[in-house]
Amino acid sequence: MARTGWADYGFKKEDDPSYKELLEVGAWLAEGDLSNLEFALEVVDSFPHGEDSWLNSSWICHAVGSGSVASVKWMIEKGVDLSPKKTGGFPPLMECLDDLVQNRHRILELLIEAGADLNQRGINGWTPLHLAAMRDDETAMRMLLEAGSDRSVTTLCDDDANAEEEARNLGHIRSADFISNFEV
């Protein structure tokens, strides 16, 4: 009989302290529970400047993905690196552009104001502008371009396309036209 996963060895992720820690701190981030975030700062070695020890994902990406403005603000005030090395392909600016993230435009605004790298590449070599174009998110495209996002940055893979070209290639014509016609 073939083994299919850790459970076959009697391992349950729910028993792993790293997993429990991720769930607990993740809940505090989602709730914007600043008193518990201060507690986590004292007891979790990697928090908030490092990565969780279960997924090895940066805590700032977890905060952004939680959709909590209060948590993201708190982490920025703690001086968290907004361009972490490990992001799973989704640096904080890109993480906040996910359609499921509540308050994504407010979080995007906070990250931009705090100096996040507007042209940091993520998955597929995309920049936040590429992703905003693929999401047809005109508000995010406007915010990124007004903040100085470089529309000439290319993916360095596949078609090596800038955000406008990539949007056009993938059928997001309104986004491509928006980028092309945008004037600061």
Side-chain angles (χ1 to χ4, degrees), residues 7-171:
D8 292 330
Y9 297 99
F11 175 81
K12 295 180 185 173
K13 66 182 178 185
E14 294 81 11
D15 295 333
D16 187 295
S18 299
Y19 181 73
K20 289 179 180 178
E21 177 180 275
L22 173 60
L23 289 182
E24 193 163 35
V25 175
W28 297 338
L29 287 167
E31 295 162 4
D33 187 337
L34 302 187
S35 62
N36 275 329
L37 294 181
E38 289 290 340
F39 174 72
L41 179 67
E42 299 299 319
V43 298
V44 178
D45 291 339
S46 66
F47 187 78
H49 298 280
E51 304 155 359
D52 74 84
S53 54
W54 178 258
L55 297 173
N56 296 314
S57 181
S58 68
W59 287 113
I60 184 62
C61 287
H62 286 297
V64 169
S66 78
S68 170
V69 172
S71 293
V72 172
K73 219 177 207 181
W74 180 87
M75 293 190 87
I76 289 170
E77 289 168 0
K78 297 296 179 193
V80 171
D81 181 3
L82 300 178
S83 297
K85 303 299 177 239
K86 287 183 169 179
T87 64
F90 288 92
L93 275 177
M94 293 180 77
E95 182 75 37
C96 80
L97 295 173
D98 190 312
D99 289 335
L100 301 176
V101 173
Q102 296 176 0
N103 306 309
R104 68 181 175 276
H105 295 124
R106 178 66 182 120
I107 291 172
L108 179 61
E109 179 182 33
L110 288 171
L111 294 170
I112 290 171
E113 288 173 357
D117 182 355
L118 299 174
N119 301 307
Q120 183 180 16
R121 287 186 175 84
I123 196 161
N124 297 327
W126 284 3
T127 66
L129 186 58
H130 283 85
L131 185 57
M134 293 312 109
R135 299 272 191 233
D136 296 314
D137 188 338
E138 191 173 304
T139 300
M141 288 187 289
R142 176 178 287 108
M143 292 171 71
L144 290 163
L145 289 166
E146 285 176 349
S149 184
D150 184 348
R151 63 180 107 195
S152 71
V153 174
T154 63
T155 59
L156 303 178
C157 66
D158 299 328
D159 293 327
D160 193 29
N162 64 36
E164 177 195 342
E165 295 163 340
E166 191 82 337
R168 206 167 297 287
N169 292 343
L170 296 175

